[in-house]
mmCIF file of all heavy atoms in Angstrom:
data_model
loop_
_atom_site.group_PDB
_atom_site.id
_atom_site.type_symbol
_atom_site.label_atom_id
_atom_site.label_comp_id
_atom_site.label_asym_id
_atom_site.label_seq_id
_atom_site.Cartn_x
_atom_site.Cartn_y
_atom_site.Cartn_z
ATOM 1 N N ASN A 87 107.436 120.407 95.277
ATOM 2 C CA ASN A 87 107.985 121.515 96.063
ATOM 3 C C ASN A 87 107.043 121.856 97.218
ATOM 4 O O ASN A 87 106.240 122.768 97.062
ATOM 5 C CB ASN A 87 108.267 122.689 95.150
ATOM 6 C CG ASN A 87 108.807 123.898 95.858
ATOM 7 O OD1 ASN A 87 109.402 123.773 96.937
ATOM 8 N ND2 ASN A 87 108.668 125.062 95.253
ATOM 9 N N PHE A 88 107.182 121.191 98.358
ATOM 10 C CA PHE A 88 106.262 121.411 99.462
ATOM 11 C C PHE A 88 106.798 122.480 100.409
ATOM 12 O O PHE A 88 107.953 122.441 100.837
ATOM 13 C CB PHE A 88 106.098 120.104 100.245
ATOM 14 C CG PHE A 88 105.147 120.165 101.418
ATOM 15 C CD1 PHE A 88 103.814 120.548 101.196
ATOM 16 C CD2 PHE A 88 105.530 119.918 102.703
ATOM 17 C CE1 PHE A 88 102.926 120.632 102.269
ATOM 18 C CE2 PHE A 88 104.681 119.994 103.778
ATOM 19 C CZ PHE A 88 103.338 120.366 103.539
ATOM 20 N N LEU A 89 105.893 123.468 100.736
ATOM 21 C CA LEU A 89 106.281 124.597 101.560
ATOM 22 C C LEU A 89 105.524 124.672 102.875
ATOM 23 O O LEU A 89 105.551 125.673 103.559
ATOM 24 C CB LEU A 89 106.097 125.921 100.799
ATOM 25 C CG LEU A 89 106.918 126.085 99.534
ATOM 26 C CD1 LEU A 89 106.694 127.486 98.931
ATOM 27 C CD2 LEU A 89 108.378 125.872 99.763
ATOM 28 N N GLY A 90 104.831 123.561 103.240
ATOM 29 C CA GLY A 90 104.194 123.543 104.537
ATOM 30 C C GLY A 90 102.708 123.771 104.477
ATOM 31 O O GLY A 90 102.075 123.771 103.439
ATOM 32 N N ASN A 91 102.137 123.966 105.677
ATOM 33 C CA ASN A 91 100.683 124.173 105.794
ATOM 34 C C ASN A 91 100.293 125.594 105.389
ATOM 35 O O ASN A 91 101.106 126.510 105.367
ATOM 36 C CB ASN A 91 100.242 123.951 107.279
ATOM 37 C CG ASN A 91 100.334 122.540 107.683
ATOM 38 O OD1 ASN A 91 100.275 121.608 106.877
ATOM 39 N ND2 ASN A 91 100.497 122.277 108.978
ATOM 40 N N VAL A 92 99.000 125.733 105.089
ATOM 41 C CA VAL A 92 98.439 127.068 104.836
ATOM 42 C C VAL A 92 97.030 127.079 105.449
ATOM 43 O O VAL A 92 96.329 126.097 105.390
ATOM 44 C CB VAL A 92 98.385 127.355 103.326
ATOM 45 C CG1 VAL A 92 97.464 126.396 102.576
ATOM 46 C CG2 VAL A 92 97.956 128.792 103.055
ATOM 47 N N GLU A 93 96.694 128.207 106.062
ATOM 48 C CA GLU A 93 95.312 128.384 106.582
ATOM 49 C C GLU A 93 94.388 128.878 105.509
ATOM 50 O O GLU A 93 94.831 129.517 104.518
ATOM 51 C CB GLU A 93 95.351 129.373 107.744
ATOM 52 C CG GLU A 93 96.177 128.860 108.944
ATOM 53 C CD GLU A 93 96.105 129.843 110.108
ATOM 54 O OE1 GLU A 93 95.033 130.420 110.354
ATOM 55 O OE2 GLU A 93 97.134 130.011 110.814
ATOM 56 N N SER A 94 93.095 128.623 105.667
ATOM 57 C CA SER A 94 92.131 128.979 104.620
ATOM 58 C C SER A 94 92.120 130.492 104.357
ATOM 59 O O SER A 94 91.861 130.924 103.224
ATOM 60 C CB SER A 94 90.725 128.506 105.013
ATOM 61 O OG SER A 94 90.358 129.019 106.281
ATOM 62 N N ARG A 95 92.371 131.312 105.363
ATOM 63 C CA ARG A 95 92.367 132.755 105.154
ATOM 64 C C ARG A 95 93.529 133.238 104.298
ATOM 65 O O ARG A 95 93.532 134.382 103.821
ATOM 66 C CB ARG A 95 92.441 133.479 106.527
ATOM 67 C CG ARG A 95 93.720 133.238 107.305
ATOM 68 C CD ARG A 95 93.742 133.972 108.622
ATOM 69 N NE ARG A 95 94.956 133.689 109.378
ATOM 70 C CZ ARG A 95 95.277 134.293 110.527
ATOM 71 N NH1 ARG A 95 94.419 135.181 111.034
ATOM 72 N NH2 ARG A 95 96.392 133.998 111.135
ATOM 73 N N GLU A 96 94.520 132.380 104.070
ATOM 74 C CA GLU A 96 95.718 132.772 103.352
ATOM 75 C C GLU A 96 95.793 132.224 101.904
ATOM 76 O O GLU A 96 96.695 132.615 101.157
ATOM 77 C CB GLU A 96 96.960 132.319 104.069
ATOM 78 C CG GLU A 96 97.100 132.899 105.464
ATOM 79 C CD GLU A 96 98.191 132.211 106.284
ATOM 80 O OE1 GLU A 96 98.555 131.045 105.971
ATOM 81 O OE2 GLU A 96 98.667 132.882 107.216
ATOM 82 N N ILE A 97 94.873 131.349 101.542
ATOM 83 C CA ILE A 97 95.051 130.607 100.270
ATOM 84 C C ILE A 97 94.977 131.511 99.036
ATOM 85 O O ILE A 97 95.499 131.163 97.992
ATOM 86 C CB ILE A 97 94.126 129.423 100.152
ATOM 87 C CG1 ILE A 97 92.666 129.860 100.048
ATOM 88 C CG2 ILE A 97 94.335 128.401 101.267
ATOM 89 C CD1 ILE A 97 91.680 128.706 99.755
ATOM 90 N N MET A 98 94.309 132.665 99.136
ATOM 91 C CA MET A 98 94.173 133.560 98.003
ATOM 92 C C MET A 98 95.245 134.665 97.998
ATOM 93 O O MET A 98 95.177 135.584 97.182
ATOM 94 C CB MET A 98 92.771 134.151 97.942
ATOM 95 C CG MET A 98 91.694 133.106 97.766
ATOM 96 S SD MET A 98 90.002 133.768 97.732
ATOM 97 C CE MET A 98 89.969 134.523 96.103
ATOM 98 N N ASP A 99 96.219 134.549 98.895
ATOM 99 C CA ASP A 99 97.274 135.555 99.003
ATOM 100 C C ASP A 99 98.430 135.315 97.985
ATOM 101 O O ASP A 99 99.362 136.107 97.939
ATOM 102 C CB ASP A 99 97.840 135.588 100.393
ATOM 103 C CG ASP A 99 96.872 136.151 101.424
ATOM 104 O OD1 ASP A 99 95.869 136.744 101.005
ATOM 105 O OD2 ASP A 99 97.101 136.026 102.648
ATOM 106 N N GLY A 100 98.386 134.198 97.281
ATOM 107 C CA GLY A 100 99.423 133.916 96.291
ATOM 108 C C GLY A 100 100.656 133.260 96.856
ATOM 109 O O GLY A 100 101.688 133.260 96.244
ATOM 110 N N THR A 101 100.542 132.636 98.070
ATOM 111 C CA THR A 101 101.695 131.975 98.667
ATOM 112 C C THR A 101 101.821 130.535 98.263
ATOM 113 O O THR A 101 102.765 129.830 98.660
ATOM 114 C CB THR A 101 101.589 132.054 100.214
ATOM 115 O OG1 THR A 101 100.404 131.373 100.621
ATOM 116 C CG2 THR A 101 101.549 133.492 100.690
ATOM 117 N N ALA A 102 100.892 130.041 97.432
ATOM 118 C CA ALA A 102 100.968 128.675 96.953
ATOM 119 C C ALA A 102 100.432 128.575 95.545
ATOM 120 O O ALA A 102 99.563 129.379 95.141
ATOM 121 C CB ALA A 102 100.129 127.725 97.830
ATOM 122 N N ASP A 103 100.989 127.672 94.746
ATOM 123 C CA ASP A 103 100.498 127.401 93.381
ATOM 124 C C ASP A 103 99.585 126.194 93.378
ATOM 125 O O ASP A 103 98.785 125.993 92.439
ATOM 126 C CB ASP A 103 101.674 127.164 92.448
ATOM 127 C CG ASP A 103 102.634 128.346 92.427
ATOM 128 O OD1 ASP A 103 102.176 129.500 92.189
ATOM 129 O OD2 ASP A 103 103.838 128.114 92.671
ATOM 130 N N VAL A 104 99.675 125.351 94.395
ATOM 131 C CA VAL A 104 98.816 124.199 94.565
ATOM 132 C C VAL A 104 98.429 124.149 96.016
ATOM 133 O O VAL A 104 99.312 124.111 96.924
ATOM 134 C CB VAL A 104 99.504 122.897 94.182
ATOM 135 C CG1 VAL A 104 98.542 121.689 94.422
ATOM 136 C CG2 VAL A 104 99.973 122.937 92.728
ATOM 137 N N VAL A 105 97.129 124.132 96.332
ATOM 138 C CA VAL A 105 96.680 123.938 97.714
ATOM 139 C C VAL A 105 95.952 122.581 97.771
ATOM 140 O O VAL A 105 94.983 122.364 97.047
ATOM 141 C CB VAL A 105 95.719 125.080 98.151
ATOM 142 C CG1 VAL A 105 95.105 124.737 99.541
ATOM 143 C CG2 VAL A 105 96.484 126.405 98.216
ATOM 144 N N VAL A 106 96.464 121.715 98.622
ATOM 145 C CA VAL A 106 95.911 120.341 98.769
ATOM 146 C C VAL A 106 95.022 120.324 99.994
ATOM 147 O O VAL A 106 95.376 120.808 101.064
ATOM 148 C CB VAL A 106 97.050 119.317 98.919
ATOM 149 C CG1 VAL A 106 96.477 117.972 99.306
ATOM 150 C CG2 VAL A 106 97.878 119.233 97.634
ATOM 151 N N ALA A 107 93.827 119.728 99.833
ATOM 152 C CA ALA A 107 92.885 119.644 100.942
ATOM 153 C C ALA A 107 92.161 118.302 100.886
ATOM 154 O O ALA A 107 92.045 117.697 99.786
ATOM 155 C CB ALA A 107 91.868 120.754 100.894
ATOM 156 N N ASP A 108 91.655 117.826 102.037
ATOM 157 C CA ASP A 108 90.721 116.716 101.979
ATOM 158 C C ASP A 108 89.420 117.272 101.391
ATOM 159 O O ASP A 108 89.167 118.448 101.414
ATOM 160 C CB ASP A 108 90.510 116.139 103.384
ATOM 161 C CG ASP A 108 89.852 117.129 104.312
ATOM 162 O OD1 ASP A 108 88.626 117.181 104.370
ATOM 163 O OD2 ASP A 108 90.586 117.897 104.978
ATOM 164 N N GLY A 109 88.585 116.360 100.845
ATOM 165 C CA GLY A 109 87.416 116.799 100.133
ATOM 166 C C GLY A 109 86.419 117.600 100.950
ATOM 167 O O GLY A 109 85.783 118.531 100.479
ATOM 168 N N PHE A 110 86.261 117.234 102.242
ATOM 169 C CA PHE A 110 85.334 117.961 103.100
ATOM 170 C C PHE A 110 85.822 119.393 103.324
ATOM 171 O O PHE A 110 85.048 120.327 103.139
ATOM 172 C CB PHE A 110 85.190 117.207 104.439
ATOM 173 C CG PHE A 110 84.250 117.889 105.391
ATOM 174 C CD1 PHE A 110 82.884 117.664 105.350
ATOM 175 C CD2 PHE A 110 84.748 118.795 106.332
ATOM 176 C CE1 PHE A 110 82.023 118.265 106.220
ATOM 177 C CE2 PHE A 110 83.864 119.442 107.235
ATOM 178 C CZ PHE A 110 82.529 119.174 107.135
ATOM 179 N N SER A 111 87.054 119.525 103.734
ATOM 180 C CA SER A 111 87.588 120.880 104.019
ATOM 181 C C SER A 111 87.688 121.712 102.741
ATOM 182 O O SER A 111 87.380 122.936 102.787
ATOM 183 C CB SER A 111 89.010 120.767 104.651
ATOM 184 O OG SER A 111 88.945 120.017 105.852
ATOM 185 N N GLY A 112 88.066 121.100 101.635
ATOM 186 C CA GLY A 112 88.181 121.836 100.401
ATOM 187 C C GLY A 112 86.862 122.343 99.934
ATOM 188 O O GLY A 112 86.737 123.523 99.497
ATOM 189 N N ASN A 113 85.806 121.533 99.996
ATOM 190 C CA ASN A 113 84.480 121.931 99.564
ATOM 191 C C ASN A 113 83.914 123.011 100.483
ATOM 192 O O ASN A 113 83.310 124.016 99.996
ATOM 193 C CB ASN A 113 83.561 120.721 99.525
ATOM 194 C CG ASN A 113 82.226 121.056 98.855
ATOM 195 O OD1 ASN A 113 81.250 121.338 99.550
ATOM 196 N ND2 ASN A 113 82.167 120.980 97.557
ATOM 197 N N ALA A 114 84.133 122.847 101.781
ATOM 198 C CA ALA A 114 83.621 123.866 102.727
ATOM 199 C C ALA A 114 84.329 125.209 102.507
ATOM 200 O O ALA A 114 83.684 126.265 102.536
ATOM 201 C CB ALA A 114 83.837 123.365 104.150
ATOM 202 N N THR A 115 85.636 125.160 102.274
ATOM 203 C CA THR A 115 86.387 126.397 102.033
ATOM 204 C C THR A 115 85.921 127.086 100.733
ATOM 205 O O THR A 115 85.723 128.290 100.692
ATOM 206 C CB THR A 115 87.892 126.092 101.970
ATOM 207 O OG1 THR A 115 88.291 125.517 103.210
ATOM 208 C CG2 THR A 115 88.678 127.361 101.695
ATOM 209 N N LEU A 116 85.741 126.247 99.683
ATOM 210 C CA LEU A 116 85.283 126.785 98.411
ATOM 211 C C LEU A 116 83.951 127.524 98.580
ATOM 212 O O LEU A 116 83.814 128.643 98.112
ATOM 213 C CB LEU A 116 85.133 125.619 97.396
ATOM 214 C CG LEU A 116 84.369 125.940 96.096
ATOM 215 C CD1 LEU A 116 85.171 126.874 95.246
ATOM 216 C CD2 LEU A 116 84.086 124.641 95.361
ATOM 217 N N LYS A 117 82.990 126.889 99.240
ATOM 218 C CA LYS A 117 81.677 127.488 99.369
ATOM 219 C C LYS A 117 81.707 128.713 100.281
ATOM 220 O O LYS A 117 80.959 129.694 100.040
ATOM 221 C CB LYS A 117 80.671 126.459 99.909
ATOM 222 C CG LYS A 117 80.353 125.381 98.821
ATOM 223 C CD LYS A 117 79.412 124.313 99.342
ATOM 224 C CE LYS A 117 79.122 123.288 98.236
ATOM 225 N NZ LYS A 117 78.307 122.166 98.698
ATOM 226 N N ALA A 118 82.578 128.714 101.303
ATOM 227 C CA ALA A 118 82.690 129.893 102.136
ATOM 228 C C ALA A 118 83.246 131.059 101.387
ATOM 229 O O ALA A 118 82.760 132.201 101.547
ATOM 230 C CB ALA A 118 83.574 129.545 103.349
ATOM 231 N N ILE A 119 84.245 130.818 100.529
ATOM 232 C CA ILE A 119 84.818 131.905 99.739
ATOM 233 C C ILE A 119 83.831 132.405 98.709
ATOM 234 O O ILE A 119 83.670 133.636 98.506
ATOM 235 C CB ILE A 119 86.132 131.411 99.073
ATOM 236 C CG1 ILE A 119 87.211 131.199 100.134
ATOM 237 C CG2 ILE A 119 86.614 132.458 98.050
ATOM 238 C CD1 ILE A 119 88.473 130.584 99.588
ATOM 239 N N GLU A 120 83.127 131.468 98.041
ATOM 240 C CA GLU A 120 82.130 131.894 97.061
ATOM 241 C C GLU A 120 81.043 132.760 97.723
ATOM 242 O O GLU A 120 80.660 133.821 97.207
ATOM 243 C CB GLU A 120 81.461 130.650 96.441
ATOM 244 C CG GLU A 120 82.332 129.948 95.455
ATOM 245 C CD GLU A 120 81.622 128.717 94.846
ATOM 246 O OE1 GLU A 120 80.711 128.198 95.510
ATOM 247 O OE2 GLU A 120 82.004 128.323 93.763
ATOM 248 N N GLY A 121 80.552 132.321 98.875
ATOM 249 C CA GLY A 121 79.516 133.065 99.528
ATOM 250 C C GLY A 121 79.969 134.414 100.018
ATOM 251 O O GLY A 121 79.234 135.430 99.901
ATOM 252 N N THR A 122 81.203 134.474 100.541
ATOM 253 C CA THR A 122 81.752 135.750 100.984
ATOM 254 C C THR A 122 81.903 136.726 99.829
ATOM 255 O O THR A 122 81.578 137.924 99.946
ATOM 256 C CB THR A 122 83.086 135.555 101.685
ATOM 257 O OG1 THR A 122 82.925 134.652 102.824
ATOM 258 C CG2 THR A 122 83.682 136.858 102.147
ATOM 259 N N ALA A 123 82.433 136.220 98.715
ATOM 260 C CA ALA A 123 82.628 137.071 97.511
ATOM 261 C C ALA A 123 81.302 137.629 97.010
ATOM 262 O O ALA A 123 81.190 138.844 96.728
ATOM 263 C CB ALA A 123 83.316 136.301 96.418
ATOM 264 N N LEU A 124 80.264 136.792 96.928
ATOM 265 C CA LEU A 124 78.978 137.240 96.492
ATOM 266 C C LEU A 124 78.374 138.278 97.439
ATOM 267 O O LEU A 124 77.826 139.283 97.022
ATOM 268 C CB LEU A 124 78.017 136.065 96.333
ATOM 269 C CG LEU A 124 78.287 135.097 95.193
ATOM 270 C CD1 LEU A 124 77.433 133.835 95.333
ATOM 271 C CD2 LEU A 124 78.057 135.776 93.840
ATOM 272 N N THR A 125 78.506 138.012 98.740
ATOM 273 C CA THR A 125 77.937 138.947 99.748
ATOM 274 C C THR A 125 78.661 140.292 99.717
ATOM 275 O O THR A 125 78.029 141.356 99.738
ATOM 276 C CB THR A 125 78.088 138.350 101.138
ATOM 277 O OG1 THR A 125 77.337 137.129 101.201
ATOM 278 C CG2 THR A 125 77.529 139.283 102.186
#
């Protein structure tokens, strides 16, 4: 059930149950979110 693209700022809004990324973008997004949450 594909619903289109999503930007990194929206992935935690609950608009997707699966977010697909290439490994570089996915890892960078993960670390950015982790760092922001900790800060």
Side-chain angles (χ1 to χ4, degrees):
N87 179 21
F88 182 60
L89 299 184
N91 290 336
V92 64
E93 296 183 38
S94 57
R95 64 179 178 176
E96 300 170 335
I97 64 173
M98 297 179 74
D99 290 346
T101 61
D103 302 307
V104 179
V105 173
V106 171
D108 64 90
F110 180 86
S111 300
N113 189 264
T115 300
L116 168 68
K117 289 177 179 176
I119 291 174
E120 286 180 336
T122 301
L124 289 170
T125 299

